[in-house]
Amino acid sequence: MSAATTLAPETFEQAAAALRSASADGQRVRIVGGATKSRWGRSHAPYEVELHAGGLDSILAHNAGDMTATLQAGVPLAAAQEAFAQAGQMLSLDPPRAGQDGIDGADGATLGGIVATGDSGPLAHRYGGPRDLIVGATVALADGTVAKSGGTVIKNVAGYDIAKLMAGSFGTLGLILSVNVRLHPRSERTATVVGTADDPRTLHAAAHALATAPAELEALDVSWRHGAGALLAQVAGPRSETRARRLARTIADAGLSQVQLLVDDDRELWEAQRAGQRSSSQATVRVAARASDLASLLAAVDGCDGSLVGRAAAGHSWVTLDPASIARLRSELPAGATAIVQDLPGDARFEDPWGPVQPALLDLTRRLKRRFDPTQTCNPGIFVGGI
């Protein structure tokens, strides 16, 4: 493939015009944010134009009273969090920082890229992922149309929610220009309880006990490696230590050992959890399974000599393992689970990172692609089913 043309629009109009021109010329466009996830999906799919959204990097509005904000797609998450922190607020997204485990571009992940890939971290236990925090968006479609969806008021609206449709679409439906998001109060006081186990069933029982308890957890995570693991639970607020002590008794009663309590000193622990969602030396596979299948999933990870971090109550996990073991992992997963290959070492490629997809879901996804991008202009070939 010849060298691609690189474009870096600085306005919505320039971005829309770039897509319109590429579509008219039959050119395929690769959309890039902070380039921290450039190898996700079928990243080797060909393209003629590389469109960088990093020039769209303004915080357009921050309504502290309403706890909402409007940000252009190229705003780095780290910069947005710094701005919100001045008002005692935060955007409740905490995906792994780029730069961990040898990945280039520390803290360079942009809002558009995070939303487009549906990336998230431990805070997803309480606040959900990107699609749960978006209340509106402005997008550019392949024909040059600039479309708006939702608003800045947090309420349910009638009609089709394009903003949420764009979340997790990997840029295959259009270019996210800006997002309207809901914010939450930022708490400086946190406490984390950690307990360990070498039996997957014990770890699952403790996770279920905390997931069903009225504890208002910020995060509930699990880690597992070489036949042993830990359950991590975080609370926040002025009474976090008292609440955490109750959690410690709960998981001890559930059979976990070496129960520890960390008060206002748990940042490194959660950074390590997030870092487990990335790898530059092995493969990382994102697994979605029922929370009730946690014990079976951990057994499958052991069978592949892998390691795991994940959201204990949501069923979202990241398994790090040798690329040669991916097929075995997929074959040993609990029924109904899915496995998506995210990271691979070096220049390695995986022809089908998405794995099997239900025919009805694949048909729906293809019809959406035809509706929003009939010329196959935006990120063609990288998504599930070669979309």
Side-chain angles (χ1 to χ4, degrees):
M1 184 179 72
S2 59
T5 300
T6 300
L7 301 176
E10 297 182 351
T11 68
F12 291 180
E13 292 76 18
Q14 290 176 1
L19 287 180
R20 181 171 59 248
S21 176
S23 177
D25 293 341
Q27 294 180 314
R28 295 162 293 189
V29 177
R30 174 60 55 86
I31 299 170
V32 180
T36 61
K37 306 174 185 66
S38 59
R39 300 190 64 204
W40 286 18
R42 294 183 68 251
S43 58
H44 54 283
Y47 58 93
E48 289 78 40
V49 177
E50 189 170 81
L51 194 158
H52 289 255
L56 305 171
D57 58 356
S58 297
I59 298 178
L60 301 177
H62 177 198
N63 302 310
D66 293 334
M67 301 194 74
T68 61
T70 301
L71 309 98
Q72 291 185 336
V75 175
L77 176 61
Q81 297 289 34
E82 184 177 346
F84 300 148
Q86 296 178 17
Q89 298 175 351
M90 67 177 183
L91 176 57
S92 300
L93 289 173
D94 62 336
R97 293 183 298 107
Q100 292 178 337
D101 197 18
I103 302 172
D104 294 333
D107 291 337
T110 62
L111 264 297
I114 291 169
V115 171
T117 57
D119 202 10
S120 63
L123 287 178
H125 171 82
R126 179 170 185 178
Y127 302 102
R131 73 180 309 276
D132 301 295
L133 297 169
I134 296 176
V135 295
T138 300
V139 301
L141 304 182
D143 63 0
T145 299
V146 175
K148 294 184 178 181
S149 170
T152 56
V153 178
I154 302 171
K155 64 178 180 180
N156 294 323
V157 294
Y160 201 63
D161 196 336
I162 295 177
K164 285 181 169 53
L165 181 63
M166 293 292 168
S169 68
F170 273 66
T172 56
L173 303 180
L175 168 64
I176 299 173
L177 298 173
S178 68
V179 291
N180 307 330
V181 296
R182 68 177 73 199
L183 306 176
H184 291 92
R186 183 184 186 92
S187 178
E188 300 299 330
R189 298 295 309 274
T190 60
T192 295
V193 175
V194 184
T196 63
D198 57 9
D199 182 350
R201 292 168 298 181
T202 300
L203 200 61
H204 172 228
H208 178 73
L210 288 192
T212 56
E216 294 187 4
L217 301 178
E218 296 291 294
L220 179 62
D221 256 31
V222 62
S223 65
W224 188 263
R225 185 181 184 88
H226 299 319
L231 184 69
L232 305 83
Q234 185 187 63
V235 291
R239 300 183 64 251
S240 56
E241 182 175 355
T242 300
R243 294 163 57 204
R245 292 190 184 279
R246 289 199 295 266
L247 296 178
R249 290 193 292 270
T250 299
I251 64 174
D253 291 342
L256 296 194
S257 59
Q258 298 181 343
V259 178
Q260 296 180 325
L261 173 63
L262 291 79
V263 179
D264 295 333
D265 190 26
D266 57 358
R267 181 174 179 179
E268 290 187 6
L269 183 69
W270 289 102
E271 283 288 348
Q273 233 5 53
R274 285 187 284 270
Q277 296 178 210
R278 299 284 194 271
S279 179
S280 60
S281 58
Q282 290 188 289
T284 303
V285 179
R286 180 172 179 171
V287 176
R290 292 185 294 265
S292 58
D293 286 333
L294 177 60
S296 298
L297 174 57
L298 297 181
V301 171
D302 274 343
C304 299
D305 194 28
S307 61
L308 174 147
V309 299
R311 316 289 92 87
H316 297 155
S317 303
W318 288 259
V319 180
T320 301
L321 74 172
D322 188 290
S325 298
I326 293 174
R328 180 177 178 181
L329 174 68
R330 282 178 165 169
S331 69
E332 296 185 1
L333 288 176
T338 61
I340 301 171
V341 180
Q342 288 190 335
D343 296 322
L344 287 170
D347 294 326
R349 290 180 178 177
F350 201 82
E351 187 59 32
D352 183 21
W354 300 98
V357 181
Q358 295 179 3
L361 180 59
L362 184 58
D363 178 65
L364 174 61
T365 306
R366 284 174 171 160
R367 285 192 284 123
L368 284 170
K369 176 67 172 178
R370 289 194 295 268
R371 172 64 181 84
F372 283 87
D373 183 18
T375 56
Q376 304 288 305
T377 300
C378 300
N379 279 1
I382 74 168
F383 202 35
V384 59
I387 295 172

